Amino acid sequence: LFPSIYPSLPRRTQLNWDVHVVSLVQSVFVCAAAIWVILVDEERKAMDWKERVWGYDGGGGMIQAFAAGYFLWDLQICVRYLGIFGWGMLMHAVSALIVFSLADFEMNNSAPSSTSTPRHSSSTSSPPLS
């Protein structure tokens, strides 16, 4: 992009630029994908507000995976360049990955949505097979 300027920058500035460019691309991609899921995902449209907040569908899981993947990459960069980015950035990367991982865990372990397999209570008998 800037072949005469970028190579002459100090390594710390180059890394900072690289991280910011990756962050920008990832955030634009995840936001665009999330808007697409909101507008197009039929499974999500069939959910009520509680299921949208606490439920799970494939589109939301995809967005969650892309976001968590970025935070995993960020953690790796912070560990690799700890001397440049410092402990504060490392702790930020760890906490962001934990938060997104917990949200993914919650989404995957919550009650299924109304469009999934019907729920049966353990106290009620299953319908007879025919």
Side-chain angles (χ1 to χ4, degrees):
L1 201 55
F2 303 103
S4 62
I5 298 172
Y6 182 83
S8 65
L9 295 172
R11 183 67 181 141
R12 177 185 179 96
T13 306
Q14 288 178 351
L15 282 170
N16 198 27
W17 173 264
D18 295 347
V19 167
H20 281 85
V21 169
V22 170
S23 175
L24 174 67
V25 170
Q26 186 274 342
S27 64
V28 168
F29 171 75
V30 166
C31 287
I35 290 169
W36 180 82
V37 167
I38 289 169
L39 297 175
V40 176
D41 188 7
E42 295 300 323
E43 186 177 6
R44 184 183 178 282
K45 286 180 184 177
M47 296 176 169
D48 64 12
W49 73 269
K50 288 180 183 176
E51 290 173 326
R52 287 182 186 171
V53 172
W54 300 110
Y56 177 85
D57 74 317
M62 177 188 70
I63 302 304
Q64 198 72 21
F66 282 126
Y70 166 76
F71 288 117
L72 187 60
W73 172 84
D74 188 44
L75 176 62
Q76 180 263 328
I77 291 296
C78 288
V79 167
R80 184 173 179 183
Y81 299 107
L82 182 61
I84 293 174
F85 291 119
W87 287 99
M89 286 297 294
L90 178 62
M91 291 300 105
H92 179 267
V94 167
S95 62
L97 182 60
I98 288 171
V99 166
F100 270 80
S101 297
L102 289 176
D104 188 46
F105 176 80
E106 176 62 32
M107 283 176 62
N108 286 315
N109 291 299
S110 61
S113 70
S114 61
T115 57
S116 329
T117 307
R119 294 173 237 180
H120 294 289
S121 156
S122 59
S123 63
T124 61
S125 61
S126 299
L129 299 172
S130 45

